Amino acid sequence: MMNQRPPLILGNWKMNTLPEEGRLLARQLVPTVMDGLHRPVEWGLAVPMTHLALLATETKGKALLGAQDCSVHPHGAYTGEVSAAMLAASGCDFALVGHSERRQYHGETSLQAGQKILRLQEQGLMAVYCVGESLEQRQSGNYASVIQNQLQEGLMLEGLSLGVSELVLAYEPVWAIGTGLTASPEQANEVHALIRHWLLQNRGSNAAEQVRILYGGSVNASNAGDLLSGEHVDGALVGGASLQIRAFADIVLSVR
Ligand code: PGA
């Protein structure tokens, strides 16, 4: 059967660059990627909230624009929060939810991530749900059940859609994020296969065929080709290297 999952490369700028610097970066990055592409590859950038409106003009029709979080609430008295509707109105196409830095420093749970997925989908935005185990969980050998629990809790809400443009999963082993350590292509593919199997068993064959699973954690221009070659690896979520024009363009261009 034809693969229904077009490859996807997303950058995550985290809390880096001022808005004007971000605009300049995007202004150089977008043509660098577009000039090198010999076939259409879906790619995009998750940027700070303050950059969205500025970057929407730079990325429109060329790259997906995303936020790094959104509120679990649709609107109301939630000081400091940004709703999915606000993201949609700022030109967003997607948002990350459940990133390990939000889990670690802001106490985000998988249940909250699930509510955020629903809020985003209500606004027609794609949700990128991040899962992954800590070093301790990897070393103790129970990473499979950690990831299965994150999937179970994050994807349990009724009304959640599992279509190709509605939900993307990102496997990001916490021990590989920003550390320079990467999962080996075999380790990544093993967990991706496990996630796909979970989708098949719990959400049916359409979800298993359509939901893309990205790998994230110290992806760079030299390791991207190998990591992306795994049968179940549909793309990458790139942190540090997405702030470097040549490196990120090369990662997008390494999609075969
Ligand atoms: P990294 O970050 O590529 O800098 O490891 C990945 C991420 O946190 O999404």
Side-chain angles (χ1 to χ4, degrees):
M1 187 187 209
M2 224 183 82
N3 189 343
Q4 304 178 22
R5 303 184 302 275
L8 174 65
I9 307 289
L10 297 177
N12 173 12
W13 283 1
K14 308 194 179 185
M15 198 171 72
N16 292 298
T17 74
L18 295 176
E20 194 50 38
E21 292 165 345
R23 173 153 66 175
L24 288 177
L25 188 57
R27 214 167 250 181
Q28 295 172 62
L29 182 59
V30 171
T32 308
V33 172
M34 302 306 279
D35 288 351
L37 282 181
H38 297 297
R39 68 177 178 106
V41 170
E42 220 177 324
W43 68 284
L45 298 168
V47 303
M49 299 288 190
T50 47
H51 295 35
L52 290 172
L54 264 183
L55 262 68
T57 30
E58 307 295 333
T59 53
K60 201 171 172 42
K62 298 174 192 130
L64 301 174
L65 183 64
Q68 300 166 10
D69 185 31
C70 87
S71 176
V72 296
H73 305 288
H75 54 80
Y78 301 102
T79 302
E81 292 284 272
V82 177
S83 72
M86 292 170 184
L87 297 182
S90 306
C92 261
D93 302 294
F94 74 95
L96 308 180
V97 303
H99 189 279
S100 69
E101 287 154 14
R102 305 260 359 136
R103 293 178 189 264
Q104 189 179 345
Y105 305 126
H106 306 278
E108 182 165 336
T109 64
S110 298
L111 291 172
Q112 288 169 330
Q115 291 173 304
K116 294 178 182 191
I117 296 172
L118 209 51
R119 293 285 95 79
L120 290 165
Q121 292 184 345
E122 284 163 2
Q123 298 300 322
L125 301 183
M126 183 171 85
V128 181
Y129 177 41
C130 307
V131 298
E133 81 284 3
S134 67
L135 182 59
E136 205 182 23
Q137 291 160 338
R138 161 72 45 177
Q139 285 170 340
S140 70
N142 68 352
Y143 56 93
S145 63
V146 168
I147 291 160
Q148 281 155 354
N149 282 341
Q150 290 172 336
L151 294 170
Q152 189 68 44
E153 290 179 3
L155 303 180
M156 69 185 281
L157 286 180
E158 205 154 318
L160 219 137
S161 309
L162 294 108
V164 66
S165 56
E166 290 151 331
L167 181 73
V168 169
L169 298 176
Y171 168 54
E172 297 208 305
V174 178
W175 47 272
I177 295 180
T179 56
L181 294 173
T182 42
S184 66
E186 295 73 27
Q187 283 174 321
N189 198 52
E190 186 217 355
V191 175
H192 284 227
L194 178 155
I195 294 174
R196 190 143 344 266
H197 183 70
W198 185 92
L199 285 169
L200 180 65
Q201 299 249 295
N202 294 275
R203 292 295 181 273
S205 56
N206 275 351
E209 275 157 25
Q210 292 194 21
V211 172
R212 287 172 286 186
I213 309 171
L214 313 183
Y215 170 78
S218 299
V219 175
N220 59 38
S222 338
N223 62 26
D226 282 347
L227 284 162
L228 289 169
S229 65
E231 181 192 348
H232 295 285
V233 181
D234 302 308
L237 178 54
V238 184
S242 70
L243 290 157
Q244 299 160 25
I245 295 163
R246 192 62 260 164
F248 188 63
D250 284 344
I251 296 170
V252 179
L253 302 178
S254 69
V255 172
R256 282 182 283 256

